[in-house]
Amino acid sequence: MHGMLMDVDPVMMMLGSLFAIWAKLWPYLVMLLGFSLIVFVHELGHFLVAKWAGVRVEQFAIGFGRELFGFTKGETRYSFNVLPLGGYVKMLGQEDFDDKSKELKFKEDPRSFVNKSVGARMAIVSAGVVMNVLFALLLFIIVFTAGMEVWGTRIAWVEPDSPADRAGLLPGDDIKSINGSRIREFNEVFMEVMLSKPYEPIEFTVERGTADNKEIVKAFVTPEHDPEQGRQMIGLAPGRTREIVALGPELMEPRPEYPRIGDVLIEVGGIAVTDQNINEMRSRLPYVKGDIYVERKDPNSPHAKPERLKVEIPPVLQLYPSDPDEENSINVLGLTPLVRLAQIDLK
């Protein structure tokens, strides 16, 4: 038994270390890829307009330094270089010359950059910026069409003895405005707090109470600087509802005892789930030992009363990155045992 653990342990330790290294590196790699994409789009603008203007393009390169790989098609060499920190399009005649005889030579070539009209050269030079603007517009249209998830304006949790708690804000309050500015989603709350003047109170206008008995309440909250986060905070968290809108892949099998998308959580480990405690109960889901109950509507009878059902979440064993620099990192030989729920998203 011990001998087998000795054989497995180094492998798991190595995997944990690799996961930890990857967790630190991937944000920088994504940043490099994003920067390279912007450069590619920019240089593509120069390239396309140069071709349209009849200029001979000798090289279209992404990155600088030694070429890693590339190919030649027609009169142009397409290359990917060692340093992905930029790129360039090399056109015939687009360079500075100490030897004026070479400049005259390129002026005689009808396909050189310097032989084109001022308008054509202006179009080629400005094409990169124009291409970036069009690319940004395209991305905006895609994101706007696909949509993005945002938190509502209802408060789900107030940190004890925080500025929000001392000002009298409560879980369930629906934030309507801050300093007179309308609030549409919870990210705007974070931005208003971060951008507010230090040590000056912020006026919150919230709606409180049930549907039959609502009142408008004003609270003045003075943010505090959080040295760990490096920004002003007041101790609020956005609300979730109890409806399940997404499940992990291990729960997608259509078993009757599994939860389904559209189910509403009503009880976890003997504790009733409400809109006020949903954040806390959600964090308990992966580890709860008691029963989990949901309400499920019959799709064929949408007006019928939902059925109360007990659901089961199967244990899952998964690799978990272990980071020795992170005190909250959990690992047993590089594994996290008994993950009862890998992922559940609540609208």
Side-chain angles (χ1 to χ4, degrees), residues 8-188:
V8 174
D9 186 64
V11 176
M12 293 304 177
M13 288 180 64
M14 182 180 69
L15 286 175
S17 298
L18 290 176
F19 275 122
I21 293 171
W22 174 252
K24 292 180 180 296
L25 285 180
W26 80 265
Y28 300 100
L29 295 177
V30 171
M31 182 181 66
L32 282 175
L33 287 174
F35 185 74
S36 296
L37 177 61
I38 293 173
V39 169
F40 170 77
V41 171
H42 183 91
E43 297 301 329
L44 182 63
H46 293 311
F47 173 80
L48 292 176
V49 176
K51 286 286 190 180
W52 169 81
V55 176
R56 175 173 175 169
V57 179
E58 298 180 332
Q59 189 172 9
F60 183 14
I62 299 298
F64 294 104
R66 185 182 296 276
E67 179 181 312
L68 290 175
F69 59 92
F71 60 93
T72 301
K73 184 176 181 181
E75 61 190 21
T76 306
R77 177 67 180 177
Y78 300 88
S79 63
F80 296 84
N81 301 337
V82 167
L83 298 175
L85 301 175
Y88 60 91
V89 172
K90 185 176 184 302
M91 294 173 281
L92 182 67
Q94 190 196 18
E95 49 189 306
D96 296 327
F97 297 101
D98 292 329
D99 186 351
K100 295 299 181 180
S101 62
K102 290 185 178 181
E103 183 177 357
L104 293 173
K105 174 185 175 182
F106 285 123
K107 280 186 177 180
E108 294 174 357
D109 193 315
R111 300 197 58 202
S112 71
F113 175 78
V114 295
N115 196 37
K116 297 300 177 181
S117 65
V118 174
R121 281 180 284 172
M122 288 178 61
I124 294 171
V125 171
S126 60
V129 175
V130 173
M131 196 72 166
N132 283 140
V133 172
L134 293 177
F135 183 62
L137 179 61
L138 175 63
L139 291 180
F140 177 81
I141 292 173
I142 293 172
V143 172
F144 186 82
T145 303
M148 58 183 295
E149 181 180 352
V150 296
W151 296 116
T153 56
R154 189 173 300 278
I155 300 172
W157 178 76
V158 179
E159 183 180 353
D161 198 33
S162 66
D165 185 30
R166 293 193 292 270
L169 293 177
L170 301 174
D173 287 351
D174 191 8
I175 302 172
K176 295 301 182 181
S177 66
I178 297 178
N179 286 339
S181 299
R182 182 185 173 189
I183 299 299
R184 298 175 180 83
E185 48 103 358
F186 216 90
N187 280 334
E188 294 180 351

Side-chain angles (χ1 to χ4, degrees), residues 315-329:
V316 177
L317 189 67
Q318 66 178 18
L319 284 173
Y320 190 91
S322 170
D323 186 353
D325 297 328
E326 176 56 52
E327 60 180 9
N328 295 322
S329 178

Side-chain angles (χ1 to χ4, degrees), residues 183-196:
I183 299 299
R184 298 175 180 83
E185 48 103 358
F186 216 90
N187 280 334
E188 294 180 351
V189 178
F190 294 136
M191 293 302 298
E192 289 285 347
V193 172
M194 286 190 295
L195 298 177
S196 64

